[in-house]
Each structure stands twice: as structure tokens, then as C-alpha cells.
């Protein structure tokens, strides 16, 4: 009985040591993978649950990578159960969604040079979801190509292709709005 | 020494264009990265292209620094505490 109590205390301590420090990263990544905050939170909770059950088997090395693998599996599981459109090949559909050129531009705005950041923001928001996900994971969350590929369960080549095409679109949007370099804000 | 011909080691603008973003993400292996770096130093066109992509990436990274809602993190920490204190109510989970 005492041995069992010690085991539980030990698990709790290990959970505290390895998992709790990664909460913010997990949530940010979950948000990159989901359309809304509630789903992101659900995904993190499921990840925490699975991590807690597996903490005794965890060897203590690279907790973030370990947790992101659990998160990936939890995400795939959710997608399967919800029959999300994530299962469809997004590469077949995104070319249809053309970024609307500077929706926010009123005639008076054309007189003033648009600010670099705003134009990037516009272009970013107009990105199709599969592109935006990869931008979120690599640029916003600082993941490596291989980590993003693993998380999304797609080849590294696809990560690169989507990311580079996404940035190219942003680049083209900048050019279309007459913004070259960064304007002095 | 004036270089009239491109040495085999030098990269072309087209090669650099294909590597540019991968180089920006520090995902190019060292030897090739060095060659890209040299080309960007020598070539104004590619240098400017690189700066634009660098600025795009910087803008996106800045966007990421928007802080996470503290109440969400608090709720997740409470969830962790609950897990530690008792056996997770597995039956209640929908999945």
C-alpha cells in the first residue's frame, strides 16, 4: 500500500517536473492545429491525460518532443472520430481560394502607403488553412520542418512546399500593394 | 583576382532562389548554407529578395508573441493538479 502511494507521489512529481512547464507550448501548438480555442483546450487536456498515464514509462529525455508526439496522436484520433476535413487531401482544394486583394483598402488608403505589417497580416489571414497551419507551426511556434511534419503527419516535403508557397503569396501580396521594404513606422 | 567564369562551387541565382527560404529557416546543411551566404553577399538581387523574406518571417514571429490568455493557462494548470490528485475520471471522457 505504501509502495503504491509512493508511486503515485512519484508520478505526480514527474508530471510536475516534465509536463507542466510545457503547458504554454502545448496550447500554442494546439491552437495552430485547431480552428477555435475550445477545441485547442480540449486537445491539450486529452494530451495531458495521456501523458499522465504514460509518465512512468517516460525516460525523462526531451519532454517537449515526447509531449508533442502524444499531442499529435491525440489530434489524429480526434480528427478520425470527428471525421474532420483534415482527412481529405487539402492540397487539392486550396488553390481555389485566391487571396482577395487588399480587402481593407478604401480609396483614401491608397494615398497613404500601406504599412508592411498590416499587409503581411492581411495576406496571412487570407491563407488557406493548410498553409496557415504550417506557417503557425514553423514561424509562430518555432518548430523545425521535421517536427511540423511529424505533428501534421505529412511528409517534410509537403511542409516545405506549403510554407514556401504561403510566404510567396505574402510576398506577392506585398508587391501587389506597392510595399517593397519595410516602411518607417 | 577577377572571376570571369563562375567557379563550380558558386551557386546560381536560380539555385539560390530555390534554397532561399530553407536557408532562412536554418534548415540547409552547413556547406550549402555557406555557399548561399556568399552568393547573398555578392548578388544584390538575391540579397534584396532574401531581406524581404526575412522581414516577412520577422513580422510573423512578432505576431506570435501575442500572449496566451492567462485564464486558459490557469485552467490547464488546475487540470494538471486534478490529474495528480486523483485517478483521472476516464469514463467521463468522450474519447
Amino acid at each position: 500500500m505504501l509502495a503504491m502511494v509512493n508511486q503515485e507521489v512519484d508520478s505526480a512529481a514527474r508530471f510536475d517536473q516534465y509536463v507542466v512547464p510545457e503547458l504554454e507550448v502545448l496550447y500554442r501548438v494546439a491552437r495552430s492545429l485547431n480552428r477555435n480555442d475550445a477545441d485547442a483546450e480540449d486537445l491539450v487536456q486529452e494530451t495531458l491525460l495521456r501523458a499522465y498515464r504514460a509518465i512512468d514509462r517516460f525516460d525523462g529525455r526531451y519532454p517537449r518532443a515526447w509531449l508533442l508526439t502524444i499531442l499529435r496522436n491525440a489530434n489524429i484520433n480526434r480528427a478520425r472520430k470527428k471525421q474532420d476535413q483534415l482527412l481529405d487531401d487539402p492540397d487539392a482544394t486550396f488553390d481555389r481560394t485566391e487571396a482577395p486583394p487588399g480587402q481593407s483598402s478604401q480609396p483614401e488608403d491608397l494615398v497613404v502607403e500601406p504599412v508592411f505589417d498590416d499587409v503581411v497580416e492581411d495576406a496571412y489571414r487570407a491563407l488557406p488553412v493548410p498553409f496557415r497551419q504550417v506557417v503557425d507551426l514553423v514561424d509562430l511556434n518555432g518548430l523545425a520542418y521535421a517536427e511540423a511534419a511529424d505533428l501534421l503527419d505529412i511528409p517534410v516535403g509537403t511542409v516545405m512546399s506549403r510554407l514556401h508557397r504561403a510566404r510567396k503569396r505574402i510576398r506577392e501580396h506585398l508587391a501587389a500593394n506597392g510595399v517593397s521594404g519595410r516602411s518607417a513606422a | 583576382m577577377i572571376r570571369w567564369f563562375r567557379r563550380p562551387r558558386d551557386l546560381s541565382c536560380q539555385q539560390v532562389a530555390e534554397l532561399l527560404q530553407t536557408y532562412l529557416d536554418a534548415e540547409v546543411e552547413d556547406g550549402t548554407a555557406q555557399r548561399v551566404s556568399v552568393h547573398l553577399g555578392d548578388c544584390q538581387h538575391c540579397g534584396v529578395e532574401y531581406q524581404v523574406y526575412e522581414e516577412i518571417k520577422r513580422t510573423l514571429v512578432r505576431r506570435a508573441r501575442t500572449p496566451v490568455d492567462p485564464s486558459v493557462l490557469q485552467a490547464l494548470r488546475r487540470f494538471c493538479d486534478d490529474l495528480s490528485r486523483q485517478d483521472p475520471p476516464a469514463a467521463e471522457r468522450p474519447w
Side-chain angles (χ1 to χ4, degrees):
Chain A
M1 172 83 165
L2 196 63
M4 213 165 77
V5 171
N6 282 343
Q7 168 86 356
E8 281 164 17
V9 168
D10 192 49
S11 293
R14 298 184 83 224
F15 195 75
D16 226 44
Q17 178 186 356
Y18 295 120
V19 177
V20 175
E22 304 293 339
L23 280 181
E24 184 163 343
V25 169
L26 287 175
Y27 182 67
R28 283 187 184 276
V29 171
R31 238 186 359 187
S32 302
L33 296 174
N34 285 275
R35 314 278 168 93
N36 62 65
D37 290 356
D39 282 349
E41 221 178 312
D42 276 353
L43 177 58
V44 176
Q45 287 187 354
E46 175 66 13
T47 302
L48 293 170
L49 196 65
R50 293 177 179 217
Y52 189 77
R53 288 189 183 135
I55 195 79
D56 295 334
R57 298 194 297 278
F58 175 53
D59 65 6
R61 292 189 298 172
Y62 310 113
R64 184 171 298 184
W66 179 69
L67 286 165
L68 287 177
T69 304
I70 295 175
L71 187 145
R72 181 201 65 172
N73 292 335
N75 195 43
I76 290 171
N77 205 48
R78 280 168 57 93
R80 234 176 250 144
K81 287 190 161 129
K82 278 178 158 188
Q83 287 177 350
D84 208 282
Q85 70 177 51
L86 277 166
L87 294 180
D88 298 19
D89 179 11
D91 294 87
T93 55
F94 59 48
D95 277 333
R96 280 196 273 111
T97 58
E98 274 307 310
Q103 262 183 337
S104 57
S105 61
Q106 303 299 311
E108 52 269 26
D109 288 351
L110 294 174
V111 176
V112 177
E113 190 190 326
V115 176
F116 189 93
D117 283 22
D118 293 340
V119 178
V120 170
E121 178 71 23
D122 274 350
Y124 167 81
R125 282 181 197 276
L127 290 172
V129 169
F131 281 4
R132 212 178 330 142
Q133 270 186 350
V134 179
V135 171
D136 281 358
L137 291 175
V138 176
D139 286 340
L140 275 59
N141 285 290
L143 297 184
Y145 290 174
E147 288 174 325
D150 201 47
L151 205 63
L152 294 170
D153 207 27
I154 58 180
V156 171
T158 307
V159 167
M160 288 173 66
S161 165
R162 289 184 192 173
L163 177 64
H164 297 177
R165 288 168 75 171
R167 289 196 192 126
K168 206 149 182 277
R169 283 201 189 194
I170 295 176
R171 170 100 182 72
E172 284 158 8
H173 196 64
L174 284 165
N177 280 272
V179 180
S180 47
R182 223 161 132 43
S183 24
Chain B
M1 185 180 93
I2 298 172
R3 285 190 256 135
W4 292 108
F5 301 101
R6 193 162 22 93
R7 290 178 300 195
R9 279 200 318 281
D10 294 350
L11 295 173
S12 70
C13 289
Q14 182 174 355
Q15 285 173 313
V16 168
E18 281 164 28
L19 289 167
L20 204 62
Q21 292 202 50
T22 314
Y23 171 80
L24 174 64
D25 295 327
E27 295 264 358
V28 174
E29 60 91 22
D30 290 349
T32 311
Q34 170 72 356
R35 291 159 73 194
V36 172
S37 177
V38 166
H39 183 98
L40 291 177
D42 286 343
C43 174
Q44 178 165 21
H45 169 260
C46 291
V48 166
E49 261 308 274
Y50 180 71
Q51 275 173 5
V52 176
Y53 279 108
E54 207 180 21
E55 202 49 58
I56 290 172
K57 179 162 174 139
R58 236 180 254 146
T59 305
L60 292 168
V61 168
R62 251 199 310 274
R63 191 185 192 281
R65 302 233 172 90
T66 52
V68 171
D69 184 354
S71 68
V72 171
L73 287 181
Q74 255 180 331
L76 287 173
R77 261 179 231 119
R78 274 200 305 274
F79 186 84
C80 287
D81 287 341
D82 289 345
L83 284 177
S84 298
R85 264 190 278 112
Q86 58 186 352
D87 260 357
E92 287 169 40
R93 302 303 303 177
W95 0 269

